[in-house]
């Protein structure tokens, strides 16, 4: 009976991760459409994630590093970059469709590879990796050239997001290695410090005045039922993808996890096309698929060189054991587990 139970537990984790990952970008787009306060929305997401990790830690379901001010001071620059990445991501979804977001998110391996070569003195990528990066770039250029929804505001946020998420991915590698935080400790510090920074951005952007005006005009009720549901779903899914991302990574092999991530991207595109008209033209969707295909080749080229496809932790019951001290860290952890809210694709 142990094998069937383990199989069902692992399958449940994979399905849960696939649903969270494929739906998160669409849910975030829906949330920012119905609740047009990006600063407050991200603050609520930070609160949910930080509080969720703290409560689950108290209940013994996970192990995270305790909050120490000395560590927090060292981690503050990384948290600031993380905040900017989430902030620009939310504003990109506010002004553009999900397809545009996926295209620019798929461009990050290209910029990360360049940054690794220039700043971290990494070797030049292999021919397969270089070719996959060119495919990503070609698909992105084709998408932008035919995007009927092109606006200067949307693409300004898109490039701002691209710069900040690339900076985060390169810088966080260095930061995590030096501080020695476990994965859930990283989630905890990232979200808690970002929550502390949120009021400053409310003042800088002037969003606080819009929020107070909305509270006054609605007689103290800021949320309508649809907006409340969208925001709540966004916050909950942001935390759930952290859980399912880490648990799934431990339960299945690296190759299986990569394949699941690829399927999730196609599911996101399909869901986005089916549920509303906020998507690209047919040729734009083709270019998007080319970009995703380039991402698949990139992942395969990197995985083939840097990892051994071994089974991680076969027992689902061990997924949340207190063994987080020896966590693997990768760019995909950034997207699907640690950041949680950046997109899930």
């Amino acid at each position: 009976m142990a094998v069937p139970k383990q199989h069902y537990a692992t399958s449940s984790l994979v399905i849960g991760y696939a649903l969270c990952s494929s739906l998160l970008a669409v849910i975030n787009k829906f949330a920012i459409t119905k609740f047009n306060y990006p600063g407050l929305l991200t603050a609520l997401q930070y609160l949910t994630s930080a509080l969720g990790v703290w409560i689950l830690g108290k209940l013994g379901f996970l192990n995270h590093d305790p909050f120490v001010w000395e560590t927090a001071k060292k981690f503050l620059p990384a948290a600031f970059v993380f905040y900017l990445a989430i902030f620009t991501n939310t504003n990109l979804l506010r002004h553009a469709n999900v397809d545009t977001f996926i295209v620019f998110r798929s461009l990050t391996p290209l910029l990360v590879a360049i940054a690794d070569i220039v700043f971290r003195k990494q070797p030049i990528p292999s021919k397969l990796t270089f070719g996959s990066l060119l495919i990503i770039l070609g698909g992105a250029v084709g998408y932008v050239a035919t995007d009927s929804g092109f606006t200067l505001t949307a693409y300004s946020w898109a490039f701002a997001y691209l710069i900040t998420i690339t900076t985060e991915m390169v810088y966080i590698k260095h930061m995590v290695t030096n501080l020695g935080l476990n994965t859930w400790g990283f989630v905890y510090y990232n979200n808690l410090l970002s929550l502390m920074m949120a009021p400053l951005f409310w003042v800088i952007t002037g969003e606080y005045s819009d929020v107070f005006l909305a509270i006054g005009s609605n007689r103290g009720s800021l949320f309508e039922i649809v907006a409340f549901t969208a925001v709540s779903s966004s916050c909950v899914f942001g935390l759930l993808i952290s859980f399912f991302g880490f648990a799934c990574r431990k339960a299945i092999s690296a190759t299986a996890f990569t394949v699941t991530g690829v399927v999730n991207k196609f599911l996101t595109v399909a869901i986005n096309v089916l549920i509303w008209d906020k998507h690209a033209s047919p040729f734009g969707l083709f270019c998007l698929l080319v970009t995703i295909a380039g991402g698949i080749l990139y992942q395969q080229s990197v995985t083939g060189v840097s990892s051994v496809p071994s089974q991680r932790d076969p027992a689902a019951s061990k997924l949340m054991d207190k063994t987080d001290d020896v966590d693997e860290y990768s760019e995909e952890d950034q997207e699907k587990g640690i950041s949680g809210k950046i997109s899930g694709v």
Side-chain angles (χ1 to χ4, degrees), residues 6-338:
Q6 174 188 321
H7 172 74
Y8 289 130
T10 303
S11 299
S12 299
L13 290 174
V14 172
I15 292 172
Y17 169 66
L19 288 174
C20 290
S21 180
S22 57
L23 287 172
L24 188 55
V26 179
I27 289 174
N28 280 342
K29 173 63 178 177
F30 183 62
I32 196 62
T33 301
K34 297 298 180 181
F35 186 76
N36 197 21
Y37 306 101
L40 182 56
L41 175 61
T42 53
L44 292 171
Q45 292 173 334
Y46 298 139
L47 176 62
T48 303
S49 295
L51 189 61
V53 170
W54 183 79
I55 291 174
L56 291 174
K58 288 295 183 182
L59 294 176
F61 289 105
L62 56 85
N63 178 39
H64 67 82
D65 297 287
F67 187 83
V68 180
W69 276 111
E70 287 302 317
T71 304
K73 291 177 184 177
K74 297 176 182 177
F75 194 83
L76 189 59
F80 179 72
V81 176
F82 171 79
Y83 186 99
L84 288 179
I86 299 294
F87 182 76
T88 53
N89 163 67
T90 306
N91 278 281
L92 170 57
L93 286 173
R94 182 186 185 187
H95 295 285
N97 57 37
V98 175
D99 300 329
T100 303
F101 165 75
I102 296 176
V103 166
F104 276 86
R105 176 63 187 87
S106 298
L107 276 172
T108 54
L110 176 61
L111 293 188
V112 169
I114 295 173
D116 277 342
I117 295 171
V118 175
F119 299 108
R120 301 180 70 237
K121 308 303 179 184
Q122 296 296 308
I124 297 175
S126 66
K127 292 181 179 178
L128 178 59
T129 301
F130 185 75
S132 66
L133 295 175
L134 288 180
I135 292 175
I136 292 173
L137 179 61
V141 170
Y143 178 90
V144 172
T146 59
D147 185 10
S148 60
F150 179 93
T151 65
L152 183 60
T153 301
Y155 274 78
S156 296
W157 282 114
F159 281 106
Y161 167 72
L162 190 58
I163 293 171
T164 53
I165 191 62
T166 302
T167 303
E168 187 209 24
M169 286 184 171
V170 175
Y171 181 65
I172 293 300
K173 291 180 185 178
H174 169 74
M175 180 60 66
V176 172
T177 302
N178 286 346
L179 289 181
L181 295 172
N182 66 22
T183 318
W184 285 110
F186 184 86
V187 175
Y188 187 53
Y189 272 83
N190 238 356
N191 286 280
L192 188 57
L193 289 173
S194 296
L195 180 62
M196 294 177 183
M197 287 186 282
L200 175 63
F201 278 80
W202 295 346
V203 174
I204 293 175
T205 60
E207 185 177 314
Y208 75 96
S209 60
D210 296 332
V211 173
F212 287 141
L213 182 63
I215 292 175
S217 62
N218 291 329
R219 299 180 180 178
S221 177
L222 187 61
F223 290 102
E224 297 177 354
I225 185 62
V226 176
F228 179 80
T229 302
V231 172
S232 300
S233 299
S234 177
C235 293
V236 171
F237 269 72
L239 178 61
L240 286 179
I241 199 172
S242 294
F243 170 79
F244 281 113
F246 293 135
C248 189
R249 182 177 287 276
K250 289 184 178 181
I252 62 179
S253 68
T255 303
F257 188 83
T258 300
V259 171
T260 304
V262 171
V263 173
N264 293 344
K265 291 183 178 182
F266 287 104
L267 284 176
T268 301
V269 175
I271 292 169
N272 187 54
V273 170
L274 290 174
I275 66 172
W276 55 16
D277 59 355
K278 300 178 185 295
H279 54 78
S281 64
F283 184 76
L285 289 174
F286 170 76
C287 293
L288 170 58
L289 295 179
V290 170
T291 303
I292 293 176
I296 297 172
L297 290 176
Y298 172 80
Q299 287 179 329
Q300 292 302 314
S301 66
V302 173
T303 302
V305 172
S306 62
S307 67
V308 178
S310 59
Q311 196 74 16
R312 297 299 175 90
D313 190 346
S317 60
K318 296 180 181 178
L319 295 177
M320 300 314 296
D321 278 354
K322 297 179 180 180
T323 57
D324 290 334
D325 301 320
V326 192
D327 286 312
E328 292 191 8
Y329 188 82
S330 71
E331 292 165 16
E332 205 155 344
D333 285 321
Q334 282 289 306
E335 183 65 22
K336 299 180 177 65
I338 295 173

